[in-house]
Structure formats: C-alpha cells, structure tokens
Amino acid sequence: MSGIFSKIPNEIVVKIFCFLPAKDLCSVSLVNKNLWSVTQDDYVWQSACDNQFPADYVSQELKKMINEEPISEGCNSDEQQVVNKTNGKKLFKRLHRHISFIAKERGVVWLDCQERGGNYHHWKTLEDSQSEFGKVVFLEHVWWFDVFSTLKAVAPGTYYVVWRLKVKLRQISLHDLNFYTTVVEKIEDSNEETIIHEYNHIPQRIMFTNISRKNDWVEYRLPYKLVVPEREVINGKLLYHNVHIKIYNYDGFLKSGLWIDYVRLRECDGSRVYEQFES
C-alpha cells in the first residue's frame, strides 16, 4: 500500500474500512490494487453491516436474502445459509437501499391480494415491462386513499423523495392527496419511535393533469429536502433513523386512475434535473 496505509498493519486497515460508508469504500477501492483487494474482503462488508446497521434489521434482511437465493446443487439448507452469509457485500447493498417496491411490499390499503377483497379489488397488482421491478400497483377506484412504506436504517444525508407515477384522468379525478413523510429515530431492540422531522405536501390539482398529459411514467420529486441526521451509539445501542413515506386522502370523493411503480430516496444532486408538473 502507498502513503499512510503502508505504515499501518493490514488488520487495522480492515478495521477502519469496516466503519466507512459504501461510497467511501468504493472510492478507496480505486486508489490502487492493494486497497482494492482489501475492499473485496467479505469480512469488511460483513463487519460494515454489523457496525452500521441495527442487529435486528441485519438479521431480517439476511433471512430474506437466504430465502430468496436458490439452493445450490449438492448443498443442504444449513450449507446454503453459510454460503449466503459470506456474501457481505450483497447484504450491505440490501441494507443500504433507499427504495421501496410498492407492489412487493404490499403497503397499500385494499390491494388485490387482501383478504375479503372479493372480485371488487380497489387496487390491482399489474405486470409492467417498463417497471424497474416488473410489477406496479394500479388504482381502480377507492374512497379511502392510503399508500405507505417504510425505509429502514437510512444513511445520514439530505435526500429528495421521488415517486414514479403514471396518471390517467377520467371523470373521477385525483386531487388533494397529501404526500406525507416523517423521519423517526429508533434505538435498536426497541419498538419505540420518535418523530424528529415531518413533511407534508399537497400538490396543486394541475400536477395530476400535467402528468396525465405525458401518458407515460414520470418521476415526481417532492419539493422538500429530507434530512436524516447522523447515527449515534447510546449506552451501547445504535440510535438510527427510519423514514416513513405515505400518500393519503380520507375525504369522501372517489379516486381513480393512478399507477405507482416505486418510491425512492435520492441524494440531493444539483446537476440532476427533474421535470416540473406544478408550474
């Protein structure tokens, strides 16, 4: 290794890397071959998961990852768990994602798979080749509008909230939907949450009309910037932040004609241009 890292024992370098954010790890890997080699060590990524995320969240995502992986030929289930557990980089990527796939997460009231939905489902899950995930949700008709999602253990930073939508206006219109977002702090192994930031935005009615004129998917960026504070360790427990994202309207009028692909947190970037639909 060159520079200061050539004077530090390799084990210490690995320990330091375990506390670096993903972006910094990727930047370090570009310095030289030796540092690149260190960043490929699965121990670094596995330790980064343990150091930077609450234990219960790591455990949940690891179980999901194991269940989603096909069992390799000749491996029993215990062996397969060991194989999957060593893929720390993949696990870290899952933990660090700031996106929710609505159709998969099922955070929608009266979706087609819901109990007692009968043949009159208010929301439908549809396959869509233009979706990043292959499936979207479609609003057939509903009076009580409530779509929600939670992004867990979000890394500190400033973000835009971006919804990928498509609108088809009918005689029944969309309006007065509240795009509501909260940042909550939470201590690992605790069920209690404290709201520290709260954001509301009810778009102008022209917004839905303008999106419908596109007759295509659009990324609708909410006008506020979402601030997620630094994490802390308090009495040996990690204090981290979840983000709850929701669109709702409980007024008594029938709503219809909305497709939702995903909601995503995207780090603020002045060079990225978003289309405006409310001006």
Side-chain angles (χ1 to χ4, degrees), residues 84-189:
N84 288 332
K85 191 170 182 179
T86 59
N87 196 340
K89 190 172 185 178
K90 182 176 180 182
L91 177 59
F92 188 88
K93 184 178 180 181
R94 289 175 65 109
L95 292 166
H96 200 270
R97 66 183 180 181
H98 295 154
I99 182 170
S100 182
F101 172 25
I102 295 295
K104 182 178 180 182
E105 299 297 335
R106 306 294 183 186
V108 178
V109 173
W110 292 110
L111 192 61
D112 51 15
C113 68
Q114 193 161 7
E115 245 181 90
R116 298 186 299 277
N119 296 319
Y120 301 99
H121 306 302
H122 300 279
W123 288 87
K124 296 180 184 292
T125 306
L126 304 174
E127 293 188 1
D128 191 313
S129 61
Q130 292 184 316
S131 167
E132 186 174 333
F133 307 97
K135 288 185 179 180
V136 301
V137 290
F138 167 64
L139 173 59
E140 186 71 52
H141 59 271
V142 72
W143 294 80
W144 179 283
F145 191 107
D146 200 347
V147 175
F148 53 90
S149 180
T150 296
L151 304 176
K152 298 181 180 179
V154 176
T158 304
Y159 301 91
Y160 287 124
V161 181
V162 180
W163 287 85
R164 190 166 190 256
L165 309 171
K166 185 164 65 170
V167 174
K168 183 176 182 180
L169 293 182
R170 306 175 177 180
Q171 290 180 341
I172 304 168
S173 65
L174 290 166
H175 58 82
D176 296 337
L177 301 186
N178 190 345
F179 288 74
Y180 176 67
T181 310
T182 57
V183 179
V184 301
E185 62 180 23
K186 194 173 186 296
I187 296 179
E188 61 181 330
D189 300 328

Side-chain angles (χ1 to χ4, degrees), residues 28-69:
V28 166
S29 71
L30 300 175
V31 173
N32 58 43
K33 288 183 179 180
N34 288 328
L35 291 179
W36 177 86
S37 178
V38 175
T39 61
Q40 301 312 298
D41 190 330
D42 196 74
Y43 174 78
V44 171
W45 293 99
Q46 188 67 48
S47 299
C49 293
D50 297 334
N51 291 333
Q52 299 184 36
F53 296 96
D56 54 349
Y57 183 35
V58 174
S59 177
Q60 289 171 14
E61 282 302 310
L62 182 57
K63 286 178 182 176
K64 288 180 185 178
M65 192 171 85
I66 290 170
N67 291 334
E68 291 170 8
E69 287 288 327

